[in-house]
């Protein structure tokens, strides 16, 4: 005999509430509709579902057994409704985000943790890449969005870009670096020291080369190439090596008091950090909430970084 799951759910609600009226209210139905359902179910079964003359209603053994099945369905139905509500409000689902390594490690990972303090049920899947790889991943639907530096998007690229932080590079070093002892630092003096090269393909590597060429360098020592942000930081704090980092990355590590920036003005790249996504593509509520969180976090961070910059006496 095939039974209608809706009938079993109504039976469970009545058993839980102890009465037809109360069970109907719990389901948002009328008392007459639930009464009809129970009457239809009893006729099909040929057996009573409740002991006659008892208040609150007491199920018969068959009514109790069927009610247990209905209770399981009722719980699953409520969980499904809660899941839909949670998804619609961006409190569940997944966010697939890619980005350039140094920004993701220094800044975005902490922002993801703050996002999870408010929306712990949203799963965030993070990956690394530079602009061409990230664009390919978005087009192939491997990621939902990217957080990366961009100079100019080609017309008709199919992407939209939300700017969140202007580009500003600095020459980074350990806090006890000899160059920090100079009263007035001159640009060419940094060519006397070894350099840590960012990973191949990184926009920072192009920025570093352009800066060194601009200072007249024809040859520099580069003993360490392509490490992660953590490895570059560890190498730098144990050596006199220099490297180029975004100001925001140096700012993110300021409280550790191991890495700082030389007070030397260098060329700013014509590039902005932002959120890259496919133009006109629908976003899940979780992805939209994540984008808003990242944009708001950088809006707060931009003011702090600006004040930090104003405390430095720049040369060059």
């Amino acid at each position: 005999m095939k039974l209608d799951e809706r009938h079993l759910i109504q039976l469970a609600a009545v058993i839980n509430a102890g009465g037809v009226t109360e069970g109907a209210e719990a389901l948002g139905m009328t008392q007459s509709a639930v009464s009809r359902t129970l009457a239809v179910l009893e006729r099909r079964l040929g057996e009573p579902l409740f002991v006659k003359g008892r208040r609150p209603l007491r199920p018969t053994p068959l009514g109790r057994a069927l009610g247990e099945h209905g209770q399981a369905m009722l719980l699953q139905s409520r969980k499904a409704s809660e899941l839909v509500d949670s998804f619609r409000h961006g409190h569940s689902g997944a966010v697939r985000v890619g980005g350039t390594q140094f920004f993701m490690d220094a800044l975005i990972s902490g922002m993801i943790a703050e996002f999870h303090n408010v929306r712990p049920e949203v799963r965030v899947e993070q990956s690394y890449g530079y602009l061409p790889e990230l664009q390919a991943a978005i087009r192939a639907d491997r990621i939902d969005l990217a957080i990366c530096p961009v100079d100019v998007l080609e017309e008709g690229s199919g992407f939209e870009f939300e700017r969140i932080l202007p580009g500003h590079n600095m020459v980074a070093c350990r806090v006890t670096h000899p160059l920090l002892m100079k009263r007035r630092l001159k640009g060419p003096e940094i060519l006397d020291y070894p350099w840590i090269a960012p990973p191949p393909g990184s926009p920072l590597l192009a920025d570093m080369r352009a800066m060194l060429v601009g200072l007249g360098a024809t040859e520099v020592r580069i003993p360490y190439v392509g490490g992660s942000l953590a490895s570059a930081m560890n190498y730098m704090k144990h050596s006199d090596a220099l490297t180029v980092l975004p100001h925001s990355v140096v700012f993110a590590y300021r409280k550790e008091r191991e890495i700082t920036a030389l007070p030397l003005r260098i060329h700013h790249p014509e590039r902005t950090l932002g959120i890259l996504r496919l133009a006109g593509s629908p976003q899940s509520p979780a992805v939209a909430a994540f984008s808003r969180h990242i944009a708001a976090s950088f809006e707060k961070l931009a003011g702090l970084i600006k004040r930090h910059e104003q405390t430095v006496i720049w040369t060059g």
Side-chain angles (χ1 to χ4, degrees):
M1 177 184 293
K2 182 175 176 57
L3 300 178
D4 191 324
E5 290 96 347
R6 293 172 297 176
H7 293 177
L8 298 182
I9 289 174
Q10 292 175 43
L11 172 62
V14 171
I15 293 173
N16 290 341
V20 176
T21 301
E22 295 83 353
E25 289 178 355
L27 294 172
M29 299 177 65
T30 64
Q31 183 268 341
S32 58
V34 174
S35 293
R36 284 195 299 271
T37 293
L38 295 180
V40 169
L41 191 54
E42 286 186 330
R43 282 198 300 271
R44 290 204 63 192
L45 295 170
E47 296 282 346
L49 295 171
F50 294 95
V51 178
K52 293 185 181 300
R54 299 299 297 266
R55 289 291 184 274
L57 291 179
R58 178 187 294 179
T60 63
L62 177 60
R64 182 178 297 107
L66 291 175
E68 289 175 356
H69 288 287
Q71 179 67 17
M73 297 173 189
L74 180 60
L75 291 175
Q76 290 302 316
S77 176
R78 287 174 176 169
K79 285 183 179 178
S81 297
E82 291 170 359
L83 176 63
V84 171
D85 289 341
S86 178
F87 180 84
R88 284 176 175 170
H89 291 90
H91 287 282
S92 65
V95 177
R96 302 168 300 169
V97 56
T100 49
Q101 184 192 103
F102 283 14
F103 280 116
M104 297 301 285
D105 289 357
L107 299 167
I108 307 303
S109 57
M111 293 177 183
I112 292 173
E114 293 169 352
F115 178 75
H116 276 147
N117 289 337
V118 179
R119 301 172 188 265
E121 300 304 317
V122 177
R123 186 178 72 255
V124 177
E125 302 171 5
Q126 179 190 302
S127 57
Y128 296 116
Y130 298 121
L131 183 58
E133 302 160 319
L134 296 171
Q135 288 177 310
I138 292 174
R139 286 195 181 100
D141 194 32
R142 294 194 300 272
I143 60 175
D144 301 303
L145 51 85
I147 303 172
C148 58
V150 171
D151 42 19
V152 177
L153 288 176
E154 293 182 13
E155 185 178 357
S157 67
F159 290 95
E160 60 184 28
F161 184 68
E162 179 183 357
R163 293 174 172 81
I164 55 178
L165 193 70
H168 183 178
N169 288 341
M170 309 180 93
V171 177
C173 63
R174 62 186 173 96
V175 293
T176 56
H177 198 283
L179 288 176
L180 292 171
M181 305 300 293
K182 292 183 173 290
R183 295 190 62 180
R184 188 166 183 81
L185 179 63
K186 297 180 181 179
E189 292 179 284
I190 65 177
L191 302 179
D192 297 332
Y193 290 87
W195 287 79
I196 301 169
S202 165
L204 281 175
L205 180 59
D207 294 345
M208 188 183 89
R209 287 174 172 166
M211 181 205 67
L212 294 173
V213 169
L215 290 173
T218 56
E219 186 175 306
V220 292
R221 282 186 295 149
I222 303 179
Y224 189 46
V225 178
S228 66
L229 176 61
S231 61
M233 291 290 192
N234 282 326
Y235 187 97
M236 193 164 23
K237 70 186 182 184
H238 291 103
S239 72
D240 285 339
L242 306 171
T243 194
V244 170
L245 289 176
H247 186 186
S248 55
V249 173
V250 177
F251 176 82
Y253 284 89
R254 70 196 184 286
K255 293 182 180 178
E256 296 184 9
R257 301 184 183 277
E258 293 180 322
I259 301 300
T260 188
L262 294 177
L264 180 69
R265 294 190 185 278
I266 61 174
H267 174 69
H268 288 198
E270 295 298 326
R271 145 177 357 107
T272 304
L273 182 69
I275 302 172
L276 184 72
R277 58 177 69 88
L278 207 57
S281 178
Q283 287 187 312
S284 73
V287 172
F290 181 79
S291 297
R292 291 194 301 270
H293 170 74
I294 294 297
S297 298
F298 271 99
E299 186 176 357
K300 295 177 183 176
L301 186 64
L304 295 174
I305 292 175
K306 186 66 176 178
R307 287 197 291 273
H308 179 259
E309 181 182 4
Q310 291 170 347
T311 64
V312 180
I313 301 174
W314 299 95
T315 61

